[in-house]
Amino acid sequence: MAVSFVFAAVFGYLADRLRLPPLVGYLVAGILMGPFTPGFIADGALAGQLAEMGVILLMFGVGLHFSASELLAVRGVAVPGAIAQIVLATLLGVGLSALWGWGIGAGLVLGLSLSVASTVVLLKALEERNLVNSANGRVAVGWLIVEDLAMVLALVLLPALAEILGAHATGTAGQAAAGMPLALTIAITLLKVGAFAVMAIFLGPKVVPWLLTLVARTGSTELFTLSVLAIALGIAFGATEIFGVSFALGAFFAGVVMSESNLSHRAAADSLPLQNAFSVLFFISVGMLFDPSILVREPMAVMAALALIIFGKSLIAFCIVLLLRFPVGMGLTVAASLAQIGEFSFILAGLGVSLGLLPREGQDIILAGAILSITINPLVFFAAEIGEKAFHRKWPAFFASYGAKRQGALARELGDIRAISDERNRQHQLKMQQLIDTFPLFAQVDEHAQEELLLLFKPKSASPGERIIRIGDRGDGMYFIASGAVEVQLDDEPVRLEPGAFFGEMALLSGGRRTADVVAIDFCDFLILDRRDFNVFMSRHPALRTAVSNMARERAEMNTLRRNPDQTSGAA
């Protein structure tokens, strides 16, 4: 890991100075650390596991900024488009393998491996161009999510079909799948994936936000971060073990579920450094798998595979988007997004080799295609941008009108979904601002502490004449007046407290009994910080506790002077 981060930092910087994306530098670092180049050789097995962590955390981050509503909104283009593109690209792969004299099984594995793009690479490209939240970006991400779901099914079916395709299935999974009727295998797989999606979309939003709120109320930053990672990795692991879904897909749905919580922005901020660090390890692990000698041994095969990835898939995706009557701009964005392959391609190639379907050189060709396509992908995006401008200049009327109706409807639907999310965030921020405006005392603590307070507060209402606190009661909490007014009934004359004031802190600070009755003189709304939460929160924020103590002391002195006015003249 030490060498990985040092190499990645150095070559990432050099790539940036050469006006290339830093991920190109990460890939070069991986090649230099791999077993196919002289010098230091990193632990490939460990690199693969750390890379899996990178994929999980990155997909979790995507899910945090993606909602189930947005997935449903883009289904009209993402579902038929992704399925048709996988089928056509796989057929091209089968045709390519036939030219090389490979069997149908090798062709199927090759075609599937070349048909599925890397979500990790796509996200990096969209982030660099600020397209993640655009309609085109949402469609591209949704398209790749459908591809990932299709590859989950392919990974289950390949062992079952291996014998039919000309190889003998090996391994426990392969034997289990081969011994089961194909229709039953497909049905069970679809049932598992469906069950996972239903649980994630309908049950998750009820459980995960509740868990996050529970942990956030403890006020422990490290415990909150740990809980975010535990939920992300736990759901990803459970999805794999119970439902047969990939780690990455499970983590994506974990993020989608967590996005329903008001604490999602904090979860995203806490997990971002780990996402960045481990996604670097993903690209390094890809570079380590690459054998540069394949470029000398099979240059034409590598170029053919690369042409299929960059031109074949992109052209297919572009035509599908236009056939679905969406605009040229969306077609070019999706085409550029798919002009690379990644993590699922490596998994499929490895499975194909282990099943005896794909020759070892086929795996090398797929890896070479992945490395080169990932490196070239920024240029493809640049070419797509130039193509869009050229298309707009040459056929402005067609460019402006074609697909505008469907694009407009999709943009409005995504806009409505975004507006709902923004309104929820705005309401949350408004609550935070109202808290500070009403109680300036809390401006002394940071935003996370203010959020914690909102979670700790227990609301209470009171009608005029209702006794809130009785003299002699034990201190059960500190009362903050959000609206209305109360009267603290002292011996000589009552004290009126209005919105922004608080009471009940003296008993909490001293551990004694209540020293006065407090009665509502208006319809009141209170925010109550109970005794345990008060003590814990104040212990973590000593400056705030000091301020409260000073205010309590001043109030006690004022009450004493009010009861004994002679002390004032005596002191004078």
Side-chain angles (χ1 to χ4, degrees):
M1 286 185 68
V3 175
S4 294
F5 284 127
V6 170
F7 274 38
V10 171
F11 287 98
Y13 175 77
L14 291 175
D16 183 73
R17 298 302 297 168
L18 294 171
R19 301 195 179 280
L20 293 170
L23 66 87
V24 175
Y26 308 152
L27 291 168
V28 172
I31 294 171
L32 294 177
M33 293 168 57
F36 304 105
T37 54
F40 176 78
I41 298 176
D43 186 336
L46 178 59
Q49 293 176 22
L50 294 174
E52 189 74 33
M53 283 285 291
V55 174
I56 289 171
L57 291 171
L58 198 67
M59 290 299 291
F60 171 68
V62 180
L64 277 173
H65 298 96
F66 217 97
S67 69
S69 303
E70 287 175 318
L71 280 174
L72 293 174
V74 301
R75 68 187 183 279
V77 58
V79 174
I83 293 173
Q85 179 257 316
I86 288 172
V87 171
L88 293 174
T90 301
L91 289 175
L92 287 178
V94 170
L96 197 60
S97 69
L99 291 176
W100 298 338
W102 295 355
I104 187 69
L108 186 63
V109 174
L110 178 70
L112 286 171
S113 299
L114 300 182
S115 71
V116 58
S118 168
T119 313
V120 178
V121 176
L122 168 66
L123 289 169
K124 290 290 185 185
L126 293 178
E127 284 172 0
E128 288 174 2
R129 291 160 182 79
N130 294 318
L131 291 174
V132 175
N133 292 319
S134 68
N136 291 352
R138 290 312 201 195
V139 168
V141 173
W143 190 300
L144 263 67
I145 294 301
V146 176
E147 283 191 352
D148 289 351
L149 284 168
M151 290 308 112
V152 169
L153 184 62
L155 289 171
V156 173
L157 294 181
L158 269 180
L161 295 170
E163 197 169 350
I164 301 171
L165 295 171
H168 182 68
T170 60
T172 306
Q175 291 166 4
M180 190 182 295
L182 183 59
L184 184 60
T185 301
I186 296 173
I188 289 174
T189 302
L190 292 175
L191 188 64
K192 283 183 175 181
V193 173
F196 172 71
V198 168
M199 284 187 67
I201 292 172
F202 294 103
L203 184 61
K206 294 180 175 63
V207 176
V208 172
W210 173 76
L211 282 174
L212 275 185
T213 301
L214 204 64
V215 175
R217 289 188 63 184
T218 66
S220 172
T221 304
E222 64 271 20
L223 186 58
F224 182 83
T225 304
L226 177 63
S227 299
V228 169
L229 295 176
I231 290 171
L233 298 176
I235 292 179
F237 180 76
T240 302
E241 292 296 311
I242 300 171
F243 299 102
V245 178
S246 70
F247 272 117
L249 205 58
F252 172 78
F253 277 104
V256 169
V257 166
M258 201 174 288
S259 69
E260 302 298 324
S261 168
N262 284 329
L263 296 166
S264 61
H265 61 286
R266 182 175 167 188
D270 283 4
S271 59
L272 184 61
L274 286 170
Q275 290 176 34
N276 291 335
F278 280 96
S279 65
V280 167
L281 293 176
F282 164 75
F283 291 108
I284 288 176
S285 72
V286 172
M288 287 175 60
L289 293 171
F290 180 53
D291 181 2
S293 68
I294 191 69
L295 299 176
V296 178
R297 290 186 283 113
E298 298 286 348
M300 297 308 296
V302 171
M303 289 299 104
L306 187 62
L308 194 157
I309 295 167
I310 293 178
F311 298 109
K313 279 172 60 181
S314 298
L315 183 60
I316 290 169
F318 179 74
C319 292
I320 289 172
V321 171
L322 293 188
L323 287 173
L324 291 171
R325 301 198 64 78
F326 281 91
V328 173
M330 181 182 290
L332 289 170
T333 299
V334 173
S337 301
L338 298 177
Q340 40 81 16
I341 59 174
E343 55 274 14
F344 265 111
S345 305
F346 313 143
I347 297 170
L348 282 164
L351 180 62
V353 171
S354 68
L355 293 173
L357 289 171
L358 186 71
R360 182 69 63 176
E361 68 176 9
Q363 185 179 32
D364 291 338
I365 290 169
I366 290 169
L367 287 171
I371 294 285
L372 294 173
S373 64
I374 289 172
T375 304
I376 295 171
N377 192 244
L379 298 177
V380 178
F381 264 98
F382 181 67
E385 291 169 2
I386 293 175
E388 186 174 352
K389 292 175 183 176
F391 207 104
H392 184 265
R393 282 196 307 270
K394 194 163 187 179
W395 297 287
F398 178 79
F399 186 88
S401 62
Y402 187 82
K405 186 176 179 181
R406 298 204 69 178
Q407 169 83 346
L410 177 60
R412 283 192 298 274
E413 187 174 358
L414 289 172
D416 291 342
I417 294 167
R418 177 57 56 189
I420 292 171
S421 176
D422 289 344
E423 177 61 21
R424 187 182 69 191
N425 291 333
R426 193 185 71 81
Q427 290 294 336
H428 179 68
Q429 291 300 321
L430 189 60
K431 282 183 181 179
M432 299 272 285
Q433 190 58 48
Q434 285 175 342
L435 180 71
I436 301 303
D437 292 342
T438 308
F439 308 106
L441 178 74
F442 296 130
Q444 298 186 46
V445 297
D446 62 20
E447 187 177 346
H448 285 175
Q450 292 164 10
E451 283 185 336
E452 182 190 341
L453 269 174
L454 287 176
L455 297 171
L456 292 173
F457 280 143
K458 296 176 182 176
K460 178 181 173 64
S461 300
S463 303
E466 184 177 339
R467 197 174 299 277
I468 311 302
I469 286 178
R470 292 181 181 276
I471 190 169
D473 288 346
R474 283 187 58 81
D476 61 343
M478 186 172 175
Y479 292 71
F480 296 85
I481 306 172
S483 65
V486 302
E487 200 173 71
V488 182
Q489 297 182 336
L490 300 174
D491 295 339
D492 53 346
E493 62 175 307
V495 176
R496 180 185 176 95
L497 298 177
E498 296 184 331
F502 55 88
F503 57 90
E505 78 285 358
M506 293 184 194
L508 296 178
L509 290 168
S510 65
R513 299 277 179 174
R514 303 294 194 188
T515 57
D517 290 337
V518 180
V519 178
I521 57 175
D522 197 355
F523 288 101
C524 297
D525 289 314
F526 304 106
L527 298 173
I528 304 174
L529 192 61
D530 71 30
R531 181 171 55 191
R532 176 187 174 278
D533 291 336
F534 171 84
N535 290 329
V536 172
F537 188 82
M538 292 298 171
S539 68
R540 284 197 296 269
H541 302 282
L544 186 62
R545 185 182 186 92
T546 301
V548 172
S549 299
N550 291 339
M551 294 173 76
R553 187 177 63 254
E554 290 170 6
R555 188 177 296 167
E557 291 171 355
M558 187 168 53
N559 292 342
T560 301
L561 291 173
R562 188 180 284 110
R563 291 192 186 98
N564 304 295
D566 293 340
Q567 290 183 9
T568 307
S569 58

